[in-house]
Every structure is written in C-alpha cells, then in structure tokens.
C-alpha cells in the first residue's frame, strides 16, 4: 500500500484549513452547493477542501474568505 507522500504536519494543516472553511461556511448560513456556485466551482471542490483532501490555491482561499465575509487569516491555522 503506497504511503501518502505528505508529511503528517501538512496533512494536519490541511484538515485545520478545511475545518475553518466549514465553520465559516456554516456561520455564513451557506450550503456547500451555494458556496461552490458563488465561487464558480463544483461542489466536490468545496467537499475536498473541507475534508482536507486538497488545499485551495491562494486565489481561491481569498475568494472563499470574501464570500464567507471573513478575513483570510481566519481560514488559516494560527489565524
């Protein structure tokens, strides 16, 4: 079975970003579908970010923060 090439600390950071995106999305009273629509992406993109499967590019993270009405730093670990 191939091992995930990402170090554990990076996986943990991805999970934290995903958790923060989800919390902010719920606080903004948006569904994954609604956020995806506002961003012009598929719902699966939001799912993958929230589950920590993938990291959003900086431009997308900034767009997510804008749509959720939070500062980008709130979506980052340590923010």
């Amino acid at each position: 079975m191939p091992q995930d090439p990402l170090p554990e600390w990076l996986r943990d950071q991805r999970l934290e970003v995903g958790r923060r995106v989800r919390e902010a999305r719920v606080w903004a009273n948006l569904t994954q579908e609604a956020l995806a629509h506002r961003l012009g992406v598929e719902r699966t993109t939001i799912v993958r970010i929230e589950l920590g499967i993938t990291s959003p590019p900086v431009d997308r993270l900034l767009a997510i923060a804008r749509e959720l009405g939070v500062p980008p730093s709130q979506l980052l670990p340590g923010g």
Side-chain angles (χ1 to χ4, degrees), residues 14-46:
R14 276 186 179 181
L15 288 169
E16 180 65 15
V17 169
R19 184 186 66 75
R20 288 168 177 247
V21 167
R22 182 183 185 285
E23 284 180 356
R25 177 181 58 75
V26 170
W27 180 82
N29 199 29
L30 290 174
T31 63
Q32 290 174 336
E33 186 70 37
L35 179 57
H37 179 73
R38 288 183 177 197
L39 296 170
V41 300
E42 297 291 324
R43 179 181 160 269
T44 55
T45 300
I46 304 304

Side-chain angles (χ1 to χ4, degrees), residues 36-77:
H37 179 73
R38 288 183 177 197
L39 296 170
V41 300
E42 297 291 324
R43 179 181 160 269
T44 55
T45 300
I46 304 304
V47 170
R48 292 174 59 79
I49 291 169
E50 289 186 0
L51 292 176
I53 295 169
T54 189
S55 298
V58 172
D59 291 351
R60 181 156 299 140
L61 186 69
L62 294 172
I64 290 170
R66 181 181 173 127
E67 290 300 329
L68 297 178
V70 299
S73 62
Q74 185 175 322
L75 303 179
L76 297 172

